[in-house]
């Protein structure tokens, strides 16, 4: 092209971003001399789409530093990254900014804010915003129901679902995933089975693998392991590793070795190098006093050189997201942080401490 304007640059960047080629998109973006709000938003949404949430926040903050005002699309694009990283302070800023600029009339921004507050642990603020909505669509209801479920407020989630039905807003598969999750967290077996049948019979929604996963988890936690296995066998599609893993975990709780071995056979096919499954089965053998089988499990892990994937979490401090992994001592404040964790642990256990 003899001339390359912002439209042509944005088109190329968008094409790479939609294909998940964010390195190429980033290269083009950095070369672009006249970046527009579309350029910044394309990068933010591209990073969010592939799960590079930290990069999405970095781009958004760069845009802020340049004094470029975010529009509705850029806010909707960055809020999921805030939700996933727990960047509550940035999410609150976006809420205030949206309110000042009259953007809360956009239901998409409100729904994204409700999800952000829910996933950042501020479910009461999510409820407050939800109650303020003049118009609530199926996404609004589904998001708040899922948020209540994740915070262990199952009764409120069920009540919210009833209010949704009274408002004549038809639920979708995401709504039912939220209400089933609420039943799982609270151990509401009968209610969970009722909603599972209702989504098929009353709303003609075919349950997906996630819905079956909730039912298997619910039955397993309730000790109905044989019935959980029956549901797995009745599934109209191939059960994934999360479903078999859920069943294996329940087998450990109730000491059911026969079904545990069945679950493990499928898990070996689906994820042969996952050390966590071997550890679970080993614990079941240990609880039953089958030490030869325990030794066999650990020998297989050593032969395959398996390592358990370390846990990871993140927290926002001074508007910066800090990430932590189990066993990672690379942070310069590692000694101070673990010292504080030890102190908190002692206080929780009731041990007197001297400060």
């Amino acid at each position: 092209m003899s001339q390359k304007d912002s439209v042509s640059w944005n088109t190329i960047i968008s094409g790479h971003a939609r294909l998940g080629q964010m390195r190429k998109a980033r290269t083009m973006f950095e070369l672009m001399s006249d970046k527009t709000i579309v350029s910044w938003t394309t990068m933010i949404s591209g990073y969010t789409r592939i799960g590079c949430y930290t990069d999405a926040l970095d781009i958004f903050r760069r845009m802020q530093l340049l004094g470029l005002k975010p529009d509705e699309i850029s806010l909707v694009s960055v809020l999921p990254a805030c939700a996933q990283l727990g960047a509550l302070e940035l999410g609150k800023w976006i809420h205030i900014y949206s309110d000042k600029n009259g953007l809360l009339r956009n239901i998409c921004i409100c729904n994204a804010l409700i999800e952000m507050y829910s996933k950042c642990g501020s479910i009461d603020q999510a409820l407050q915003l939800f109650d303020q909505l003049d118009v609530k669509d199926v996404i609004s209801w589904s998001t708040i129901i899922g948020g209540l479920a994740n915070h262990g407020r199952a009764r409120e989630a069920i009540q919210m679902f009833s209010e949704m039905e009274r408002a004549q807003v038809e639920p979708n598969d995401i709504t039912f995933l939220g209400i089933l999750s609420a039943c799982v967290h609270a151990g509401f077996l009968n209610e969970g089975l009722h909603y599972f049948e209702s989504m098929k019979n009353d709303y003609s929604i075919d349950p997906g693998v996630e819905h079956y996963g909730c039912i298997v988890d619910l039955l397993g936690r309730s000790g109905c392991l044989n019935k959980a296995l029956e549901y797995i066998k009745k599934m109209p599609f191939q059960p994934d590793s999360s479903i078999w893993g859920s069943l294996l975990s329940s087998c450990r709780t109730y000491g059911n070795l026969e079904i545990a071995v069945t679950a493990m056979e499928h898990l070996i096919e689906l994820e042969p190098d996952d050390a966590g499954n071997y550890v679970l089965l080993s614990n079941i053998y240990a609880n039953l006093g089958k030490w030869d089988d325990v030794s066999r499990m650990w020998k297989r892990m050593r032969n395959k050189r398996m390592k358990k994937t370390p846990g990871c979490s993140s927290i926002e401090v001074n508007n910066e997201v800090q990430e932590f992994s189990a066993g990672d001592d690379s942070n310069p404040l590692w000694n101070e942080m673990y010292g504080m964790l030890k102190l908190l642990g002692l206080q929780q256990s009731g041990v007197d401490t001297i400060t």
Side-chain angles (χ1 to χ4, degrees):
M1 296 175 62
S2 58
Q3 292 184 339
K4 302 179 180 68
D5 57 12
S6 60
V7 175
S8 58
W9 278 98
N10 288 333
T11 301
I12 295 297
I13 293 171
S14 177
H16 286 307
R18 289 179 181 275
L19 292 172
Q21 300 171 349
M22 289 309 298
R23 287 187 179 180
K24 293 181 179 179
R26 183 65 174 264
T27 300
M28 299 296 293
F29 175 78
E30 299 297 351
L31 289 172
M32 188 177 180
S33 58
D34 186 20
K35 300 178 180 66
T36 65
I37 185 65
V38 175
S39 317
W40 294 93
T41 300
T42 300
M43 292 300 297
I44 293 168
S45 61
Y47 277 128
T48 300
R49 190 181 298 114
I50 65 172
C52 294
Y53 304 115
T54 302
D55 292 317
L57 292 193
D58 288 341
I59 293 291
F60 184 79
R61 288 195 172 104
R62 278 180 58 188
M63 185 178 74
Q64 287 181 290
L65 291 173
L66 292 174
L68 198 60
K69 292 185 65 175
D71 62 4
E72 296 177 350
I73 300 175
S74 57
L75 295 181
V76 171
S77 298
V78 77
L79 277 169
C82 296
Q84 294 297 328
L85 292 176
L88 180 60
E89 293 306 315
L90 178 56
K92 287 181 177 179
W93 181 88
I94 292 174
H95 188 176
I96 295 170
Y97 174 87
S98 300
D99 190 20
K100 286 182 177 179
N101 291 275
L103 300 179
L104 292 183
R105 293 189 295 268
N106 187 320
I107 188 66
C108 294
I109 290 180
C110 291
N111 290 339
L113 282 168
I114 292 170
E115 181 187 36
M116 182 277 299
Y117 279 126
S118 298
K119 290 189 175 180
C120 289
S122 299
I123 186 62
D124 289 329
Q125 287 179 279
L127 279 167
Q128 185 178 3
L129 179 57
F130 175 81
D131 291 336
Q132 292 172 356
L133 295 181
D134 294 326
V135 178
K136 303 178 178 72
D137 62 9
V138 64
I139 299 175
S140 313
W141 289 99
S142 301
T143 302
I144 199 65
I145 289 171
L148 288 167
N150 291 332
H151 283 78
R153 294 161 69 164
R155 283 298 178 195
E156 292 176 70
I158 292 173
Q159 181 181 352
M160 194 68 73
F161 183 80
S162 298
E163 291 181 20
M164 179 182 182
E165 290 183 310
R166 286 194 293 270
Q168 297 184 338
V169 178
E170 188 164 324
N172 58 19
D173 56 333
I174 304 298
T175 318
F176 277 102
L177 186 59
I179 199 67
L180 288 174
S181 297
C183 294
V184 170
H185 289 309
F188 294 158
L189 178 59
N190 293 330
E191 290 91 337
L193 293 174
H194 163 73
Y195 287 120
F196 186 76
E197 294 301 321
S198 176
M199 69 181 295
K200 295 185 294 182
N201 299 331
D202 299 332
Y203 294 98
S204 301
I205 300 174
D206 293 327
V209 66
E210 297 91 352
H211 303 96
Y212 274 98
C214 286
I215 289 299
V216 170
D217 194 10
L218 181 56
L219 288 167
R221 292 180 185 220
S222 303
C224 306
L225 299 176
N226 287 307
K227 193 168 184 179
L229 187 58
E230 289 177 14
Y231 266 85
I232 293 176
K233 292 178 179 178
K234 289 192 300 183
M235 288 173 59
F237 33 70
Q238 195 73 16
D240 61 13
S241 58
S242 64
I243 289 180
W244 288 113
S246 172
L247 184 62
L248 179 61
S249 180
S250 297
C251 288
R252 180 195 175 189
T253 302
Y254 291 97
N256 191 316
L257 180 58
E258 181 182 354
I259 295 180
V261 170
T262 300
M264 188 64 181
E265 289 173 352
H266 289 87
L267 285 168
I268 290 175
E269 294 179 4
L270 294 169
E271 44 185 24
D273 297 324
D274 191 319
N277 298 326
Y278 287 89
V279 172
L280 271 177
L281 185 57
S282 174
N283 290 337
I284 296 173
Y285 282 132
N287 292 335
L288 297 174
K290 296 181 176 293
W291 302 110
D292 290 341
D293 292 309
V294 172
S295 177
R296 178 169 57 85
M297 287 292 102
W298 285 99
K299 185 177 180 180
R300 289 188 67 173
M301 289 176 63
R302 285 194 299 270
N303 290 340
K304 290 192 172 188
R305 297 180 180 179
M306 292 181 180
K307 290 184 179 180
K308 195 171 181 180
T309 304
C312 180
S313 63
S314 62
I315 187 173
E316 186 183 29
V317 181
N318 296 327
N319 293 320
E320 184 177 349
V321 176
Q322 303 283 346
E323 295 185 357
F324 301 93
S325 297
D328 181 14
D329 58 358
S330 60
N331 192 296
L333 298 177
W334 182 85
N335 289 326
E336 289 86 345
M337 289 188 296
Y338 277 83
M340 180 57 69
L341 284 174
K342 185 176 181 180
L343 179 63
L344 292 172
L346 291 172
Q347 289 179 343
Q348 186 176 15
S349 63
V351 177
D352 292 332
T353 56
I354 299 175
T355 57

